[in-house]
């Protein structure tokens, strides 16, 4: 191993990555446990076969909605491109449609609710606005065209002959 390589995950250069990934633990560990708990509770109430049918029904309805919303988003993006406009909202909308479709195909009721929230146009528009306000604007907040006094650099200029 090169001397600059850190063999342990508690080394300082990996601490920043751990802070960025603080949402992965709940997503990949706690969410499946909650999904199993809810599936077992619903299965105990309405029966195992009816629970399986309900999960398949939500996946089927979600795929129908995903197809309709996907074509609508594609149509809107095509119209904007014909007017020589950037279809930025449609690109982000397509991203959320892909996430919603993947969540609807994942068995479980929590993922189905979040998937439907990503696919339905009313909630998707609200989620897109929230993401744009909180994440995208913060990502580009360092870029500004506003000049301040700190932008001046004092110096001398001499032309060589």
């Amino acid at each position: 191993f090169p001397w600059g390589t850190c063999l342990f995950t508690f080394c300082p250069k990996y601490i920043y990555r751990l802070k960025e990934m603080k949402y992965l633990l709940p997503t990949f560990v706690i969410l499946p446990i909650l999904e199993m708990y809810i599936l077992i509770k619903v299965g105990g109430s309405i029966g195992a076969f009816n629970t399986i049918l309900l999960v398949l029904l939500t996946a089927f309805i979600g795929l129908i909605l995903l197809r309709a919303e996907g074509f609508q988003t594609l149509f809107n993006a095509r119209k904007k491109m014909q007017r020589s406009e950037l279809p930025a909202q449609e690109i982000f909308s397509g991203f959320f449609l892909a996430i919603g479709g993947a969540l609807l195909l994942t068995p479980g009721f929590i993922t189905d609710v979040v998937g439907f929230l990503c696919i339905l146009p009313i909630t998707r528009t609200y989620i897109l606005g929230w993401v744009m306000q909180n994440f995208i604007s913060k990502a580009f907040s360092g870029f500004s065209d506003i000049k301040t006094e700190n932008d001046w650099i004092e110096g001398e200029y001499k032309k060589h002959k």
Side-chain angles (χ1 to χ4, degrees), residues 36-135:
M36 286 188 288
Y37 177 77
I38 290 174
L39 285 171
I40 290 170
K41 284 293 188 183
V42 171
S45 297
I46 64 172
F49 185 72
N50 289 335
T51 303
I52 292 171
L53 286 178
L54 189 59
V55 167
L56 291 175
L57 179 68
T58 57
F60 183 70
I61 292 171
L63 287 176
I64 291 171
L65 278 173
L66 176 66
R67 182 175 180 207
E69 291 301 318
F71 281 129
Q72 184 64 39
T73 302
L74 186 62
F75 179 72
N76 291 342
R78 190 173 182 195
K79 281 193 332 187
K80 277 193 174 180
M81 289 177 69
Q82 286 175 347
R83 293 188 312 243
S84 298
E85 296 177 8
L86 181 67
Q89 183 176 0
E90 284 75 13
I91 291 171
F92 282 111
S93 185
F95 177 71
F96 277 102
L97 285 173
I99 290 174
L103 289 173
L104 283 169
L105 291 177
T106 305
F109 296 114
I110 298 172
T111 54
D112 286 345
V113 168
V114 175
F116 278 120
L117 289 176
C118 288
I119 287 182
L120 294 174
I122 296 169
T123 55
R124 186 176 66 236
T125 306
Y126 177 74
I127 293 170
L128 276 172
W130 183 81
V131 167
M132 296 286 249
Q133 182 181 9
N134 290 316
F135 293 108

Side-chain angles (χ1 to χ4, degrees), residues 2-38:
W3 291 105
T5 305
C6 186
L7 298 176
F8 304 103
T9 58
F10 57 83
C11 292
K13 72 179 195 176
Y14 289 106
I15 290 175
Y16 182 72
R17 288 184 185 169
L18 291 175
K19 288 180 183 177
E20 288 178 339
M21 298 179 166
K22 66 182 175 183
Y23 299 109
L24 287 180
L25 178 68
T27 303
F28 292 116
V29 175
I30 297 173
L31 183 64
I33 293 170
L34 285 174
E35 289 283 10
M36 286 188 288
Y37 177 77
I38 290 174

